[in-house]
Amino acid sequence: MKKPKWLEKERLYSILFESDEPMGRIFDLVLIVAISLSILISFVETIPELARTFKLTLEVLEYLLTFFFTLEYIARVYCSPRPKDYVLSFFGIIDLLATLPPYLSYFFPNARYMILLRSFRFIRIFRIFKLFNYINEGHLLLRSLKRSFTKITVYFLFVLILVTCLGTLMFMIESGRPDTAFTDLGTSVYWAIVTMTTVGYGDITPVTPVGRLLSAFVMLLGYTIIAVPTGIVTANMIDDTKSEKAKQKERRCPLCDTKVRKTDHFCPNCGAELPAT
């Protein structure tokens, strides 16, 4: 008996991992709804009144979603060219951990263990990161963050050194005062981080004029420094957007003449397979 076309590995891979064809877009939409619903259930379960009122409904939805995510996970492993790479990937691990707890509850029925298992179910919330895989803007943002990672890491290390120096300086100024809260270097560095990020809890404040002057300087410095990573990511996003637009200029579907992206394998309008570029 011939296997249905949608069960063929290549076809199934195209549906599950890509969104360039009608079936792939439909599956992505269903998956987004399922992920959103699972997250909503996680929030409802933390409200005792709603959890008691809709207990049966929540349990039914829980089992249905678990069944759906289990099938999705098995299908992804089945059609992946390198199943091990998917299983050990970030999303592969999240998919597995988000699916296991309902099954583990059968082996750990004791109530005190169930509390721990319920906490693992909140890993489903991390599935929201997968939504970036289903929108072009998500790919653009992730690509821009990846390109900015090295610069932001260097910037982070610079800020870490800066707050350590400022905290040490404030400790030298404020330590030894009778009413000071700067009792150690760790507390002083914590103050520098809170002040520079403009959070300002107010739990630690300087008491000397020099300390207050330094505090004002750190506050103003925070406004200038905090904008740096935003500018780095924005610049990369602008470059990627220009590059993406340049790629989309000339390519059109030979069947319906719809403009398509260079990375598309199927026409988003008629679903026809596009010639390789």
Side-chain angles (χ1 to χ4, degrees):
M1 185 176 177
K2 190 177 180 181
K3 188 184 295 185
K5 189 175 180 181
W6 64 273
L7 278 178
E8 295 175 1
K9 281 192 176 183
E10 294 78 8
R11 175 66 171 166
L12 193 58
Y13 179 87
S14 179
I15 294 173
L16 293 178
F17 287 93
E18 299 175 0
S19 56
D20 298 327
E21 57 171 308
M23 281 296 292
R25 290 199 298 272
I26 292 172
F27 176 78
D28 291 345
L29 180 61
V30 172
L31 188 57
I32 289 171
V33 172
I35 292 171
S36 302
L37 185 58
S38 69
I39 294 169
L40 179 61
I41 291 173
S42 296
F43 279 97
V44 172
E45 287 176 338
T46 61
I47 305 173
E49 296 80 7
L50 293 178
R52 285 193 298 268
T53 304
F54 301 102
K55 182 180 178 182
L56 180 60
T57 303
L58 292 174
E59 287 180 354
V60 171
L61 288 174
E62 178 74 28
Y63 285 118
L64 289 175
L65 288 170
T66 299
F67 179 71
F68 173 76
F69 290 140
T70 302
L71 286 182
E72 180 215 357
Y73 181 79
I74 293 172
R76 288 182 184 274
V77 174
Y78 166 73
C79 70
S80 295
R82 292 180 294 276
K84 185 178 178 181
D85 291 346
Y86 167 71
V87 170
L88 297 178
S89 68
F90 173 76
F91 289 123
I93 294 172
I94 290 298
D95 288 345
L96 180 61
L97 293 179
T99 306
L100 279 180
Y103 297 110
L104 293 177
S105 64
Y106 289 107
F107 301 97
F108 300 96
N110 197 301
R112 58 198 179 101
Y113 293 111
M114 284 299 295
I115 294 174
L116 177 62
L117 292 174
R118 282 174 62 84
S119 67
F120 278 104
R121 281 163 42 185
F122 290 103
I123 294 175
R124 292 176 304 180
I125 290 175
F126 291 97
R127 279 179 170 272
I128 198 167
F129 288 113
K130 293 186 71 173
L131 300 184
F132 285 118
N133 288 334
Y134 308 121
I135 48 176
N136 295 331
E137 290 77 8
H139 284 294
L140 176 63
L141 177 60
L142 290 176
R143 190 164 59 247
S144 300
L145 289 173
K146 186 176 180 180
R147 289 180 55 193
S148 308
F149 180 75
T150 304
K151 294 177 182 177
I152 292 177
T153 300
V154 173
Y155 166 79
F156 175 78
L157 292 174
F158 166 75
V159 172
L160 186 62
I161 294 169
L162 183 61
V163 295
T164 302
C165 294
L166 290 171
T168 303
L169 183 59
M170 182 61 84
F171 177 73
M172 292 168 60
I173 295 171
E174 292 287 315
S175 63
R177 304 291 173 178
D179 298 326
T180 186
F182 295 87
T183 55
D184 55 77
L185 277 175
T187 302
S188 301
V189 172
Y190 162 76
W191 165 86
I193 294 171
V194 170
T195 305
M196 182 170 288
T197 55
T198 69
V199 175
Y201 290 127
D203 53 343
I204 303 173
T205 54
V207 294
T208 64
V210 178
R212 289 173 180 171
L213 183 64
L214 177 61
S215 183
F217 170 75
V218 174
M219 292 176 198
L220 294 174
L221 184 64
Y223 279 110
T224 59
I225 286 182
I226 205 168
V228 173
T230 306
I232 293 173
V233 176
T234 302
N236 281 321
M237 286 188 70
I238 292 173
D239 291 342
D240 286 339
T241 302
K242 289 180 179 178
S243 176
E244 193 74 20
K245 286 182 178 178
K247 289 178 181 178
Q248 296 178 19
K249 270 187 177 179
E250 300 299 329
R251 201 172 183 219
R252 290 182 175 273
C253 172
L255 197 63
C256 65
D257 201 42
T258 300
K259 188 181 291 185
V260 296
R261 296 171 299 172
K262 190 174 181 180
T263 54
D264 286 340
H265 300 295
F266 297 88
C267 175
N269 181 49
C270 67
E273 187 172 0
L274 299 172
T277 55

